[in-house]
Coordinates of all heavy atoms in Angstrom, one line a residue:
C228 N 13.5 -63.7 34.5 CA 14.3 -62.4 34.5 C 13.7 -61.4 35.4 O 13.7 -60.2 35.1 CB 14.4 -61.9 33.1 SG 12.8 -61.6 32.3
A229 N 13.0 -61.7 36.5 CA 12.5 -60.8 37.5 C 13.6 -60.1 38.2 O 14.7 -60.7 38.4 CB 11.6 -61.5 38.5
E230 N 13.4 -58.9 38.7 CA 14.4 -58.1 39.4 C 14.6 -58.8 40.8 O 13.8 -59.5 41.3 CB 14.0 -56.7 39.6 CG 13.9 -55.9 38.3 CD 15.2 -55.7 37.7 OE1 16.2 -55.7 38.4 OE2 15.2 -55.5 36.4
K231 N 15.7 -58.4 41.4 CA 16.1 -59.0 42.7 C 15.0 -58.6 43.8 O 14.7 -59.5 44.6 CB 17.4 -58.5 43.2 CG 18.6 -59.1 42.4 CD 19.9 -58.6 43.0 CE 21.1 -59.2 42.2 NZ 22.4 -58.7 42.8
K232 N 14.4 -57.5 43.7 CA 13.5 -57.1 44.7 C 12.2 -57.9 44.6 O 11.4 -57.9 45.5 CB 13.2 -55.6 44.6 CG 12.7 -55.1 43.3 CD 12.6 -53.6 43.4 CE 12.1 -53.1 42.0 NZ 12.0 -51.6 42.0
V233 N 11.9 -58.5 43.5 CA 10.7 -59.3 43.3 C 11.0 -60.8 43.3 O 10.1 -61.6 43.1 CB 9.9 -58.9 42.1 CG1 9.4 -57.5 42.2 CG2 10.8 -59.1 40.8
C234 N 12.3 -61.2 43.4 CA 12.6 -62.6 43.2 C 12.3 -63.4 44.5 O 12.3 -64.6 44.5 CB 14.1 -62.8 42.9 SG 14.5 -62.3 41.2
N235 N 12.0 -62.7 45.6 CA 11.7 -63.4 46.8 C 10.2 -63.8 46.9 O 9.7 -64.3 47.9 CB 12.0 -62.5 48.1 CG 13.5 -62.3 48.2 OD1 14.3 -63.2 47.9 ND2 14.0 -61.2 48.6
T236 N 9.4 -63.4 45.9 CA 8.0 -63.7 45.8 C 7.8 -65.2 45.5 O 8.7 -65.9 45.0 CB 7.3 -62.9 44.8 OG1 7.8 -63.2 43.5 CG2 7.4 -61.4 45.0
P237 N 6.6 -65.7 45.9 CA 6.4 -67.1 45.6 C 6.5 -67.5 44.1 O 6.9 -68.5 43.8 CB 4.9 -67.3 46.1 CG 4.7 -66.3 47.2 CD 5.6 -65.1 46.7
V238 N 6.1 -66.5 43.3 CA 6.2 -66.8 41.9 C 7.6 -67.0 41.5 O 8.0 -67.8 40.6 CB 5.5 -65.7 41.1 CG1 5.6 -65.9 39.6 CG2 4.0 -65.6 41.5
A239 N 8.5 -66.1 42.0 CA 9.9 -66.2 41.6 C 10.6 -67.5 42.1 O 11.4 -68.1 41.4 CB 10.7 -65.0 42.3
K240 N 10.1 -68.0 43.3 CA 10.6 -69.2 43.8 C 10.2 -70.4 42.9 O 11.0 -71.3 42.7 CB 10.1 -69.5 45.2 CG 10.8 -68.5 46.3 CD 10.2 -68.8 47.6 CE 10.8 -67.8 48.7 NZ 10.2 -68.0 50.0
I241 N 9.0 -70.3 42.4 CA 8.5 -71.4 41.5 C 9.3 -71.4 40.2 O 9.5 -72.4 39.7 CB 7.0 -71.2 41.3 CG1 6.2 -71.4 42.5 CG2 6.5 -72.2 40.2 CD1 4.7 -71.0 42.5
A242 N 9.7 -70.2 39.8 CA 10.4 -70.1 38.5 C 11.8 -70.8 38.6 O 12.4 -71.1 37.5 CB 10.5 -68.6 38.1
K243 N 12.3 -70.9 39.8 CA 13.7 -71.5 39.9 C 13.6 -73.0 40.0 O 14.7 -73.7 40.0 CB 14.3 -71.0 41.2 CG 14.7 -69.5 41.2 CD 15.3 -69.0 42.5 CE 15.6 -67.5 42.4 NZ 16.2 -67.1 43.7
V244 N 12.5 -73.5 40.0 CA 12.4 -75.0 40.0 C 12.8 -75.5 38.7 O 12.3 -75.0 37.7 CB 11.0 -75.4 40.5 CG1 10.9 -77.0 40.5 CG2 10.7 -74.9 41.8
D245 N 13.6 -76.6 38.6 CA 14.0 -77.2 37.4 C 12.9 -77.9 36.6 O 12.9 -78.0 35.4 CB 15.2 -78.1 37.6 CG 16.4 -77.4 38.1 OD1 16.5 -76.1 37.8 OD2 17.2 -78.0 38.7
N246 N 12.0 -78.4 37.4 CA 10.9 -79.1 36.8 C 9.9 -78.1 36.1 O 9.1 -77.5 36.8 CB 10.1 -79.9 37.9 CG 9.2 -81.0 37.2 OD1 8.9 -80.9 36.0 ND2 8.7 -81.9 38.0
R247 N 10.0 -78.0 34.8 CA 9.2 -77.1 34.0 C 7.7 -77.4 34.1 O 6.9 -76.5 34.1 CB 9.7 -77.0 32.6 CG 11.2 -76.7 32.4 CD 11.5 -75.3 32.9 NE 10.9 -74.3 32.1 CZ 11.0 -73.0 32.3 NH1 11.7 -72.6 33.4 NH2 10.4 -72.1 31.5
D248 N 7.4 -78.6 34.1 CA 6.0 -79.0 34.2 C 5.3 -78.6 35.4 O 4.2 -78.1 35.5 CB 5.8 -80.5 34.0 CG 6.2 -81.0 32.6 OD1 6.1 -80.2 31.7 OD2 6.6 -82.2 32.5
A249 N 6.1 -78.7 36.6 CA 5.5 -78.3 37.8 C 5.3 -76.7 37.8 O 4.3 -76.2 38.4 CB 6.4 -78.7 39.0
E250 N 6.2 -76.0 37.2 CA 6.1 -74.6 37.2 C 4.9 -74.1 36.4 O 4.1 -73.3 36.8 CB 7.3 -74.0 36.5 CG 8.6 -74.0 37.4 CD 9.8 -73.4 36.7 OE1 9.6 -72.9 35.5 OE2 10.9 -73.4 37.3
I251 N 4.7 -74.8 35.3 CA 3.6 -74.5 34.4 C 2.2 -74.7 35.2 O 1.3 -74.0 35.1 CB 3.6 -75.3 33.1 CG1 4.8 -74.8 32.3 CG2 2.4 -75.1 32.3 CD1 5.1 -75.6 31.1
K252 N 2.2 -75.9 35.9 CA 0.9 -76.2 36.6 C 0.6 -75.2 37.7 O -0.5 -74.8 37.9 CB 1.0 -77.6 37.1 CG 0.9 -78.7 36.1 CD 1.0 -80.1 36.7 CE 1.0 -81.2 35.7 NZ 1.1 -82.5 36.2
A253 N 1.7 -74.7 38.4 CA 1.5 -73.8 39.4 C 1.0 -72.4 38.9 O 0.1 -71.8 39.4 CB 2.8 -73.6 40.2
L254 N 1.7 -72.0 37.8 CA 1.2 -70.7 37.2 C -0.2 -70.8 36.7 O -1.0 -69.9 36.7 CB 2.2 -70.4 36.0 CG 3.6 -69.9 36.5 CD1 4.5 -69.8 35.3 CD2 3.5 -68.6 37.2
Q255 N -0.5 -71.9 36.1 CA -1.9 -72.1 35.5 C -2.9 -72.0 36.7 O -4.0 -71.5 36.6 CB -2.0 -73.4 34.8 CG -1.4 -73.4 33.4 CD -1.5 -74.7 32.7 OE1 -1.8 -75.7 33.3 NE2 -1.2 -74.7 31.4
A256 N -2.5 -72.6 37.8 CA -3.5 -72.5 39.0 C -3.7 -71.1 39.5 O -4.8 -70.7 39.8 CB -2.9 -73.4 40.1
E257 N -2.5 -70.3 39.6 CA -2.6 -69.0 40.0 C -3.5 -68.1 39.0 O -4.3 -67.3 39.5 CB -1.2 -68.4 40.2 CG -0.5 -68.9 41.4 CD 0.9 -68.3 41.5 OE1 1.2 -67.3 40.8 OE2 1.6 -68.7 42.4

Side-chain angles (χ1 to χ4, degrees):
C228 58
E230 297 292 335
K231 287 183 179 181
K232 58 183 179 181
V233 295
C234 286
N235 293 326
T236 61
V238 177
K240 291 178 182 179
I241 294 170
K243 293 178 182 180
V244 179
D245 294 332
N246 192 348
R247 303 297 292 180
D248 292 333
E250 288 179 3
I251 293 171
K252 287 181 181 179
L254 288 171
Q255 285 179 346
E257 287 182 8

